[in-house]
Amino acid sequence: MKNLWHILQLQWQSAPAFRLSLLYLTLLTVLALALPWLPLAYGPNDLDLDQIYQAPFGWKAEADKPRHWLGTDGLGRDVLANILYGARTAFAISLPVMAMASLIGLLLGAMAGLFGNQRLQMSRAFLIALLISLVPLSYYGIYLPIQLSNYGANTVEFILTGMLAIGLSLLLVLVLRVFLRQFPVLKEKSALPADELLLRLIEVQTSIPRLVLILVLAAVAPPTLLALTVLLTLTFWTGTARLARAEMMRIRELPFFEAAISLGYTPKRLLMRHAVPHLMGPVLVAFSFGLAGLLMLESTLSFLNIGVSTDLVSWGRMIAGIRANTAAWWLVAIPGVVLSLTVLALQTFSYYVLQFLQNKK
Amino acid sequence: MANFVFRRLLIAIPTLWLIASVIFLLSKLMPGAFGSAHLAEQEAGYYSRGDAASRDRNYRQFLETTGQDRPLFYFSITSAALPDSLHRVFPERDRDFLSRISWQYGNPEAAAVFFRSLKLWEASLTESELQQVQKYLFAIYSHQSPAQLQQAIAGMARQLPSNTGLWNDIIESSEHLIVNSSGYTYLFPSAQWHGTQNQYHRWLSDLIQGSLGNSLRDGRPVTMVLSEAIGNTWWLLLASIVIATLLAMELAILMVRRSGRVWRSTLLPSLFLLDSVPLFVLAMVLLVLLANPAFLQLFPVYGMGYYNTYDASWLQQVSQWLQFMTLPMICLVLANLSYLTNQFYQAVAAVAGQDFIRTARAKGLSEQVVIRRHMLRNALLPVITLLSDFLPALVAGAVVIETVFAIPGVGRLLIDAVLSRDYPVIVGIVVVVAVFRLLSHLLSDLLYSMADPRVRSQAS
């Protein structure tokens, strides 16, 4: 964390473009957070059917109504309110998704980089026991809760299945491990190819373009915000994981890390105390690049009207409004500029952080 | 080399199988068997006079021919509180009811007996009798507690005092259901083996034989629907990638020249700017500016035009095609130009500092020759891998572009299929995209070995 702060401070002093983009992002965030207290005349979903397709900065407003400063769309929805609330939606979706995806990617990538293909040793008995215990874990941990929520169950039943899920799997691992150790073949230790597993998983996921994958999964999932968040998280962790893995492999070879290994620290301590602080910079780069990608993807999805409900306020939804009336240029110009500027600011930010990291090397 | 290609295939085919299977299985887990909506429509139609029994028969027959009455996978692990033969109960409404009551009372056998007796009795009623007990039937179908069930049955007995065997069955089975209910049956799993008579097996064996099933929307084979759409997308993608690559290469050459400082200081920032404009915004902006009577009507707005291909010469056909495809092509090129140019420039700039370039310059070769003959060939290597990784991104771009410009290609087909949940088409598109990616990887490996003699000698 101290590391990150240092990077930001240095670049803030040296690069004006970095300062500008950070200022813009802060301004947008503050606006999105302060929305309920702003004196906006219209809500983002308020219809004003008397004033449809109003051009922005039009001075002949109706006397008894507040003015639409940035115009209206085909249903008379205020563009200004949609822009501001759209910023809120965009960040409300992309920030948690990227945070989750970064966490998953950082953990998996760092572990794959640390252990490689050879260094994660465990007895075969334990490995088999772990694999078998996945069955009760998925039955009590995934299948039953879904069924329970389908048929409407009370909290006690959820807690009961949750306890069973953890208890049964643990019990199974312990019992099976003792039992399987009777066989000499299974007693031997073998390496878990963590690196290979991660690379294969990433390869399977990225063999379908991300947009296509999300469209296909959105056809299966219900069009709720939660489902969309899960979908995006599941498709966005790969970038961070790749970066963290490569960086971890570099750090592993550095003298200070070899010293830490030879001191006999546990893998947990090696990861948390010695590796992760150095991984923060690259992860920050991946985070802001990913955030920019997510903003584009979210607005593309709401432009195509897939995976999100139509009452979700979004920049993409407003841009889609121009397809009904191509003369309403402000419907693409205003949200398009705001969206592009936000993406640009995020990319500038990550560009400068990346440059700092490369210069340091 | 053949060895290498073979190994690539060996890795890629399981990936392909895994992705297609996951998407097939996920799509089947969605509630709502296809056809139920269609048959429900017939029910509501004024002119359809078919009785419930014949409708039911038709529906069953339809499900049998499409294989939808079979279990989904080779085995299934379900909760013991759910009946085994749930996949044979139709329509969906009844299936939901049966699974709900057996879950609620934790006793699938008793629930199945009650369900059967209720259905038999309901079928024996006349239209007017049905009207009288409608309220109570509804109460049974949506009851929450045993008391409600008892109340509804007592109410029906008051409304239609009868003493037939069927009615006694209901009384008996409902009492049996309530008495024998147990609270925690759902905690026990029950596993079943279905053998090869399942939907997944059928789908997979069809897939291996090259059939992707029929579209749910119009019943045509998916391969036919896809082959109609794929041509448009293919030519669009091919043309844009060729143009984008050539353009990016020329721009990179402009920037890497010794006199290219002006180009560097203007092109790189503007490409950075261009990169932050999302594709659909770019497409909409170009559409509004260049294909709009309010501003500048240079291009036709939507679609491919209706034209007769039989009596036109190929020149006419191409010009017709160009007229509609120019704007989409410009969009795709612009959207990918900045990334490509950056990569090309970095590759060329990395080569520019090497010794053999200095030697070439020292020999007195002209700048043009140095760049085109000596730098480009060595800079090509990283770029080839890049291009093969890049093709799938173009497919994603095609989805957006084809939707905006209403081009009947694969991308638009995907959007339509997703919106109408036409799962066979979706799975088909996924398979095609994955195969496309696989081929592009193979092609890039081949090109790599052609461009670099060192790789060729290592591989053989």
Side-chain angles (χ1 to χ4, degrees):
Chain A
M1 278 298 135
K2 214 159 61 184
N3 225 334
L4 285 187
W5 186 241
H6 183 63
I7 297 176
L8 293 187
Q9 229 170 8
L10 273 183
Q11 291 292 35
W12 174 271
Q13 282 159 5
S14 61
F18 182 80
R19 218 177 307 167
L20 208 63
S21 64
L22 207 58
L23 271 180
Y24 173 80
L25 288 176
T26 320
L27 180 73
L28 204 65
T29 318
V30 167
L31 269 181
L33 285 178
L35 266 184
W37 298 285
L38 287 184
L40 286 175
Y42 297 95
N45 279 331
D46 290 352
L47 305 187
D48 183 359
L49 293 174
D50 299 332
Q51 308 185 50
I52 61 167
Y53 290 126
Q54 293 278 310
F57 316 115
W59 297 111
K60 50 174 182 17
E62 284 183 29
D64 53 339
K65 275 186 177 171
R67 186 173 288 142
H68 294 284
W69 287 103
L70 293 181
T72 58
D73 70 354
L75 290 170
R77 287 178 292 207
D78 190 46
V79 172
L80 180 65
N82 267 287
I83 294 276
L84 291 176
Y85 277 92
R88 199 174 210 197
T89 315
F91 282 115
I93 291 179
S94 55
L95 278 177
V97 166
M98 211 50 223
M100 279 301 294
S102 295
L103 198 66
I104 295 174
L106 178 65
L107 274 182
L108 288 182
M111 264 157 67
L114 181 64
F115 291 123
N117 282 331
Q118 298 300 327
R119 286 181 286 269
L120 189 59
Q121 302 270 339
M122 52 174 74
S123 72
R124 290 177 192 167
F126 185 61
L127 195 63
I128 294 174
L130 264 187
L131 282 180
I132 292 176
S133 74
L134 278 183
V135 177
L137 192 67
S138 49
Y139 177 78
Y140 290 105
I142 300 172
Y143 172 77
L144 269 190
I146 291 175
Q147 294 293 333
L148 282 174
S149 68
N150 261 354
Y151 296 109
N154 51 28
T155 333
V156 180
E157 288 173 316
F158 278 110
I159 294 173
L160 186 69
T161 50
M163 271 160 49
L164 267 176
I166 297 165
L168 266 182
S169 331
L170 276 182
L171 193 72
L172 203 64
V173 169
L174 290 178
V175 171
L176 270 179
R177 193 174 156 211
V178 174
F179 171 72
L180 288 172
R181 281 189 164 234
Q182 310 293 319
F183 305 99
V185 187
L186 298 178
K187 215 172 170 181
E188 279 172 38
K189 288 202 165 189
S190 66
L192 185 76
D195 197 28
E196 190 71 20
L197 280 177
L198 183 80
L199 286 183
R200 283 284 152 266
L201 189 62
I202 292 179
E203 193 184 307
V204 168
Q205 255 203 18
T206 48
S207 64
I208 301 287
R210 188 180 275 156
L211 180 66
V212 174
L213 190 64
I214 285 178
L215 286 180
V216 167
L217 291 178
V220 182
T224 58
L225 219 51
L226 183 70
L228 185 70
T229 312
V230 172
L231 274 187
L232 290 174
T233 309
L234 284 182
T235 47
F236 262 82
W237 64 272
T238 50
T240 318
R242 239 183 218 160
L243 206 69
R245 170 184 167 271
E247 194 63 18
M248 187 69 216
M249 287 171 98
R250 192 183 66 87
I251 290 175
R252 249 198 76 85
E253 305 303 322
L254 294 180
F256 86 91
F257 204 81
E258 282 181 350
I261 294 175
S262 60
L263 279 172
Y265 287 152
T266 57
K268 191 180 152 201
R269 179 165 177 164
L270 281 178
L271 269 183
M272 288 302 157
R273 292 286 296 276
H274 300 270
V276 167
H278 290 265
L279 288 174
M280 277 325 236
V283 168
L284 181 68
V285 174
F287 183 85
S288 47
F289 259 125
L291 210 57
L294 261 175
L295 285 182
M296 292 204 220
L297 192 63
E298 182 268 329
S299 51
T300 307
L301 284 179
S302 47
F303 174 76
L304 296 173
N305 195 12
I306 284 175
V308 291
S309 62
T310 36
D311 56 352
L312 183 77
V313 185
S314 155
W315 294 333
R317 185 187 74 170
M318 210 184 333
I319 297 177
I322 198 178
R323 297 168 79 185
N325 175 9
T326 45
W329 55 269
W330 56 93
L331 286 185
V332 62
I334 297 170
V337 164
V338 176
L339 175 59
S340 303
L341 273 183
T342 314
V343 172
L344 182 67
L346 281 168
Q347 281 182 345
T348 314
F349 176 81
S350 48
Y351 171 77
Y352 277 105
V353 175
L354 188 67
Q355 216 178 31
F356 177 83
L357 291 174
Q358 278 171 351
N359 283 347
K360 209 171 67 173
K361 271 178 211 165
Chain B
M1 198 63 217
N3 194 7
F4 187 76
V5 171
F6 183 70
R7 217 171 42 214
R8 252 271 150 73
L9 277 175
L10 221 59
I11 295 174
I13 284 172
T15 311
L16 197 63
W17 162 78
L18 189 68
I19 289 176
S21 296
V22 165
I23 287 171
F24 172 79
L25 291 175
L26 276 179
S27 73
K28 286 289 172 183
L29 287 179
M30 280 299 291
F34 174 73
S36 53
H38 180 62
L39 281 135
E41 253 168 50
Q42 281 189 351
E43 240 169 285
Y46 179 76
Y47 291 105
S48 67
R49 280 276 170 265
D51 57 331
S54 78
R55 253 196 325 262
D56 193 46
R57 214 168 35 245
N58 283 344
Y59 188 45
R60 264 167 211 285
Q61 203 172 8
F62 166 75
L63 290 171
E64 246 166 60
T65 50
T66 51
Q68 288 189 73
D69 61 336
R70 301 181 190 184
L72 181 58
F73 201 59
Y74 295 100
F75 64 88
S76 61
I77 296 176
T78 53
S79 170
L82 293 175
D84 317 333
S85 53
L86 212 53
H87 57 87
R88 271 185 233 124
V89 180
F90 287 104
E92 203 94 354
R93 216 173 34 214
D94 287 351
R95 190 193 295 186
D96 282 349
F97 173 63
L98 176 58
S99 66
R100 205 163 47 76
I101 54 171
S102 60
W103 183 273
Q104 195 174 340
Y105 294 102
N107 190 342
E109 287 85 26
V113 171
F114 172 68
F115 173 75
R116 220 172 299 131
S117 61
L118 184 69
K119 280 286 145 192
L120 281 175
W121 181 70
E122 212 183 313
S124 73
L125 293 182
T126 61
E127 200 68 30
S128 63
E129 282 172 330
L130 210 56
Q131 285 283 322
Q132 286 174 351
V133 293
Q134 192 75 46
K135 194 174 75 183
Y136 299 107
L137 272 179
F138 180 73
I140 288 182
Y141 280 127
S142 57
H143 76 272
Q144 296 289 337
S145 65
Q148 282 172 331
L149 177 66
Q150 280 169 330
Q151 235 173 15
I153 287 179
M156 277 203 289
R158 272 200 308 278
Q159 195 70 246
L160 285 180
S162 67
N163 224 345
T164 55
L166 290 174
W167 177 246
N168 289 336
D169 279 351
I170 289 195
I171 304 269
E172 208 172 288
S173 58
S174 69
E175 273 165 9
H176 184 71
L177 181 66
I178 291 168
V179 170
N180 287 328
S181 69
S182 55
Y184 293 101
T185 327
Y186 67 90
L187 287 177
F188 298 100
S190 94
Q192 283 154 58
W193 179 256
H194 298 300
T196 55
Q197 287 298 309
N198 62 58
Q199 293 186 41
Y200 177 74
H201 185 82
R202 182 177 164 149
W203 171 78
L204 195 64
S205 49
D206 279 356
L207 185 67
I208 289 168
Q209 286 161 20
S211 154
L212 285 162
N214 290 334
S215 162
L216 298 184
R217 269 186 305 171
D218 45 14
R220 290 188 306 157
V222 171
T223 39
M224 197 165 117
V225 177
L226 271 175
S227 64
E228 276 171 16
I230 218 162
N232 288 325
T233 308
W234 170 246
W235 289 116
L236 175 65
L237 287 187
L238 196 68
S240 4
I241 194 156
V242 168
I243 294 173
T245 311
L246 291 180
L247 202 57
M249 213 187 294
E250 288 305 316
L251 287 179
I253 289 174
L254 275 183
M255 287 194 290
V256 85
R257 278 191 317 191
R258 279 181 177 164
S259 54
R261 256 194 71 192
V262 186
W263 287 104
R264 273 198 293 278
S265 58
T266 52
L267 263 181
L268 283 177
S270 49
L271 286 177
F272 196 78
L273 202 68
L274 185 66
D275 195 31
S276 58
V277 181
L279 180 57
F280 77 102
V281 174
L282 191 70
M284 287 318 291
V285 167
L286 286 182
L287 195 71
V288 166
L289 287 181
L290 299 181
N292 185 353
F295 291 91
L296 199 59
Q297 178 96 50
L298 281 183
F299 299 101
V301 186
Y302 292 130
M304 295 279 294
Y306 297 99
Y307 55 92
N308 197 348
T309 47
Y310 298 112
D311 53 348
S313 71
W314 67 272
L315 203 67
Q316 276 172 314
Q317 280 182 39
V318 167
S319 64
Q320 177 88 17
W321 185 82
L322 269 183
Q323 191 188 352
F324 283 97
M325 284 299 173
T326 310
L327 209 48
M329 251 164 14
I330 293 176
C331 284
L332 270 181
V333 168
L334 279 183
N336 298 305
L337 190 64
S338 49
Y339 177 67
L340 273 183
T341 310
N342 250 318
Q343 297 292 330
F344 269 96
Y345 174 62
Q346 273 171 19
V348 178
V351 175
Q354 289 192 0
D355 288 345
F356 65 90
I357 297 296
R358 204 172 45 201
T359 314
R361 286 220 167 94
K363 281 197 297 188
L365 295 181
S366 70
E367 181 85 20
Q368 281 297 319
V369 176
V370 170
I371 289 178
R372 289 187 191 268
R373 296 275 304 274
H374 293 253
M375 277 191 203
L376 265 190
R377 177 148 194 185
N378 285 287
L380 264 181
L381 290 178
V383 168
I384 286 172
T385 3
L386 185 92
L387 281 180
S388 82
D389 277 344
F390 185 62
L391 277 171
L394 268 180
V395 173
V399 173
V400 174
I401 288 296
E402 286 175 5
T403 313
V404 170
F405 292 100
I407 299 164
V410 176
R412 198 176 155 72
L413 187 67
L414 176 66
I415 298 285
D416 287 345
V418 166
L419 285 176
S420 59
R421 309 213 156 183
D422 191 352
Y423 297 117
V425 173
I426 293 177
V427 176
I429 291 175
V430 168
V431 170
V432 165
V433 170
V435 167
F436 188 55
R437 164 122 183 156
L438 170 65
L439 289 180
S440 75
H441 266 310
L442 280 178
L443 187 72
S444 85
D445 287 337
L446 283 174
L447 284 178
Y448 213 98
S449 75
M450 267 156 66
D452 190 352
R454 284 169 296 184
V455 178
R456 208 173 342 170
S457 62
Q458 269 172 19
S460 58

